[in-house]
Amino acid sequence: MIHLIGPGGAGKSTIGRILADLIRCPFHDLDRLFEERQGDIDDFMSIATQPSTFVLLPSLDLEECVTETVRRQRERPLAHHRSDRREEDVIRQRFPVYMDLPARKVSTMGQAVDIAAEIVTLISTL
C-alpha cells in the first residue's frame, strides 16, 4: 500500500489516480473515507513512518508552498473555502509538521504524470 499525504491542493488525488493506473492497482481517497468515519485525518499521522509513504507538497520551499497552496485551493470545486489569509495561516502552521514527518518529500510543481512516474521509481527502490 502506498500512502500520499500532504495539504489540500498538493495533488494527492490527481497523482494518486495516475500512480494507481501506472502500477495497476486500485485508488482510494482515504482522506474522504477517513473523514466520513473518524474525523480529521491530521490526528492520525502514524502512517508517515512507513517506507511506502510520501509527503506531497506543492513546493519544498515554504513561501512557494504557501503561494501555490492558496492558488490551488482557490481553484478547487469545494462547497466551502477558507479565506486566502486563513489558508496561508493553515499551510504555514502545517508546513513544518509535513517537513518533519519521517517520509520522503515530493514537490508537486510539475506535471502530475511525471510526479507519479517519479514515485514509481522511488517505490522500486524500497
Side-chain angles (χ1 to χ4, degrees):
M1 181 178 297
I2 300 164
H3 303 105
L4 304 176
I5 58 178
K12 300 179 300 290
S13 297
T14 301
I15 292 166
R17 285 184 185 91
I18 295 168
L19 180 59
D21 286 344
L22 288 174
I23 62 175
R24 297 185 176 122
C25 72
F27 170 76
H28 302 282
D29 189 334
L30 295 181
D31 280 358
R32 298 296 158 252
L33 295 172
F34 195 90
E35 287 173 1
E36 288 171 8
R37 296 180 181 152
Q38 299 293 325
D40 191 347
I41 197 164
D42 287 345
D43 297 332
F44 299 87
M45 287 295 204
S46 62
I47 62 170
T49 61
Q50 298 180 19
S52 59
T53 297
F54 299 88
V55 176
L56 303 186
L57 293 162
S59 173
L60 303 184
D61 173 82
L62 173 61
E63 294 308 318
E64 286 180 341
C65 186
V66 168
T67 300
E68 186 64 11
T69 299
V70 169
R71 184 191 72 73
R72 290 180 185 185
Q73 287 291 69
R74 195 179 307 128
E75 293 178 357
R76 293 176 81 189
L78 301 174
H80 62 283
H81 283 280
R82 295 181 186 119
S83 69
D84 287 359
R85 182 70 192 147
R86 178 69 183 126
E87 193 62 48
E88 279 186 35
D89 292 344
V90 168
I91 193 59
R92 284 183 191 285
Q93 178 185 43
R94 292 183 181 176
F95 184 84
V97 174
Y98 288 123
M99 292 302 286
D100 286 344
L101 290 173
R104 296 182 199 199
K105 302 344 177 252
V106 178
S107 170
T108 60
M109 289 295 280
Q111 295 294 316
V113 68
D114 296 334
I115 296 161
E118 175 186 348
I119 293 171
V120 169
T121 299
L122 292 169
I123 291 167
S124 70
T125 66
L126 297 178

